[in-house]
Amino acid sequence: MTPPSFDTWTSLFLLAVAMGLFLFMVLITGRQKKNYPIAFLLLAFAVILFQYVLFWTRYERVYPYLIFIPPVCYFVSGPLLYQYFLNLYQTRLSKYFWMHYIPAVIAIVPSLVLWLRIAGWSETEIPLRWYVGAYWGIAAHMGIYCFLIAKKISANATPDTEYKKVRHRWALVLLSLYGLFLLAYVSYYVLVNFPFFNSEWDYMISATMTLSIYTIGYFIIKEPRIFDGALFAEIFLPIKNKKESFENSLLNEFFEHLTTYMRREKPYLDNELRLVHLADQVGFSTHLLSKVINKKAGKSFNHFVNDYRLQEAERLLRNESDQYVKSIYFDVGFNNKATFYKAFKKKHQCTPSQYKEQKP
């Protein structure tokens, strides 16, 4: 029996596995929840790739724990990517969306039984082998999600702002990577029926997963501070010498979106509002939100939010005759009375009580 060993290809794929796990940790430990589906998609690719490495190097005989896991990852890949696209286009998830993951949950049953057998806790025959071996069913499942994602992109294919143009290009990149992965998967099970087929064709699937991992990794590393699943302006710039004007155009659009949200939803009334909370509400990364406020408002986050709180206090002092001045600071979002009085006096050169008396 040939002993387990690595070659050049399997060594490269093992590096891709490590990169996938690293990027998973980068995204999952971030505060942008809408990126979690991409994080778990990278994890799924890394797990599939690792099992393939075990198979090609013959280490699968020594560590057989993952032999039924790839189908689970295949079944979960489509729903994860679709969920990411729904987040990307700010579409509310249905309360029944969890049902998209049922095929993946069913596919994990053979692995659970296998692990019990290996541990010596059960001698039950491994069930659902036909299910995890239904390669064309898996391909059809992924194809359905390719169609759903393409339909979603098509519905938003006429972007009217620079931000939406960037988002559209990023969406096409992701769909192309997943489509290439599906094509490689289908090609393998077509070509395996021909006499010229050899084991190297099997590397095509792993090569596309590696490409996906490193492409997404490139974006994360290229823009580590502003990666939010949509903004890759520097990479997608159509004309290099227009970088600054393009960036300013994006920042203007972000700032308009932010100020509209502030006026409409009044998030500043929340006494516990923090940069990360507001960033999550408007769909930006914390760094991007901070950059928009600093560049376009010329203020820090706290000063920016407090200005809205002061405006609300002015409105209440002018219009609410029964409003108690002593408690108004809390009603407009300030936690500290002294901070409110200091900020108010700095802006109006008088106390809130004096301001109320001077109102027309």
Side-chain angles (χ1 to χ4, degrees), residues 297-313:
K299 304 170 184 175
S300 67
F301 169 76
N302 287 333
H303 285 131
F304 176 75
V305 173
N306 284 345
D307 279 351
Y308 279 93
R309 289 168 173 164
L310 289 174
Q311 291 175 24
E312 183 70 12

Side-chain angles (χ1 to χ4, degrees), residues 60 113 145 197 278 291 329:
E60 182 183 73
V113 175
Y145 282 95
F197 179 83
L278 184 58
K291 182 177 180 180
Y329 76 93

Side-chain angles (χ1 to χ4, degrees), residues 32-287:
Q32 286 294 301
K33 293 182 180 180
K34 68 179 180 179
N35 290 326
Y36 288 0
I38 285 291
F40 282 102
L41 180 64
L42 287 171
L43 178 62
F45 280 177
V47 170
I48 295 172
L49 202 50
F50 184 61
Q51 168 55 25
Y52 283 1
V53 169
L54 291 176
F55 173 77
W56 292 320
T57 59
R58 293 175 292 280
Y59 273 101
E60 182 183 73
R61 303 168 188 167
V62 184
Y63 307 106
Y65 312 106
L66 301 180
I67 58 176
F68 295 123
I69 285 297
V72 179
C73 299
Y74 287 132
F75 277 124
V76 84
S77 64
L80 282 173
L81 193 59
Y82 185 49
Q83 182 176 346
Y84 174 78
F85 272 90
L86 293 179
N87 291 338
L88 188 65
Y89 290 107
Q90 298 180 338
T91 304
R92 185 180 297 275
L93 296 181
S94 165
K95 64 180 181 179
Y96 299 110
F97 190 84
W98 60 270
M99 296 180 69
H100 288 262
Y101 293 99
I102 290 178
V105 173
I106 295 173
I108 204 172
V109 172
S111 291
L112 293 176
V113 175
L114 173 65
W115 297 336
L116 291 174
R117 286 170 61 93
I118 292 174
W121 295 346
S122 173
E123 296 182 359
T124 305
E125 185 69 23
I126 295 175
L128 298 174
R129 285 177 178 266
W130 64 269
Y131 184 76
V132 294
Y135 306 116
W136 291 111
I138 292 173
H141 184 267
M142 291 191 292
I144 290 171
Y145 282 95
C146 271
F147 171 76
L148 292 175
I149 292 167
K151 185 178 179 181
K152 190 67 179 177
I153 294 175
S154 177
N156 295 271
T158 54
D160 54 359
T161 67
E162 296 296 345
Y163 173 80
K164 291 180 180 179
K165 290 176 183 176
V166 171
R167 184 180 65 181
H168 182 66
R169 294 186 184 105
W170 169 235
L172 291 177
V173 168
L174 277 182
L175 179 60
S176 298
L177 289 172
Y178 192 67
L180 184 63
F181 169 61
L182 174 58
L183 179 62
Y185 182 86
V186 172
S187 298
Y188 173 82
Y189 291 103
V190 171
L191 295 174
V192 74
N193 297 306
F194 291 87
F196 59 80
F197 179 83
N198 58 62
S199 60
E200 292 185 358
W201 285 100
D202 199 8
Y203 288 170
M204 288 175 58
I205 302 175
S206 299
T208 57
M209 284 189 290
T210 300
L211 176 64
S212 300
I213 288 171
Y214 278 101
T215 300
I216 295 172
Y218 173 76
F219 285 127
I220 297 173
I221 294 169
K222 184 70 176 176
E223 296 289 352
R225 295 170 299 175
I226 61 173
F227 176 78
D228 66 349
L231 181 63
F232 298 94
E234 182 178 345
I235 296 170
F236 286 133
L237 283 180
I239 302 176
K240 291 183 179 180
N241 61 9
K242 290 189 177 180
K243 175 181 177 180
E244 184 175 357
S245 62
F246 184 85
E247 181 181 359
N248 285 336
S249 176
L250 284 172
L251 290 176
N252 287 334
E253 291 171 8
F254 291 153
F255 188 64
E256 181 180 354
H257 173 68
L258 172 63
T259 53
T260 299
Y261 182 83
M262 296 293 285
R263 291 193 303 269
R264 185 180 68 246
E265 302 297 333
K266 297 185 177 183
Y268 50 85
L269 297 180
D270 180 2
N271 304 83
E272 300 300 325
L273 184 68
R274 299 291 183 269
L275 179 67
V276 63
H277 302 148
L278 184 58
D280 191 54
Q281 291 172 29
V282 297
F284 297 163
S285 68
T286 53
H287 177 82

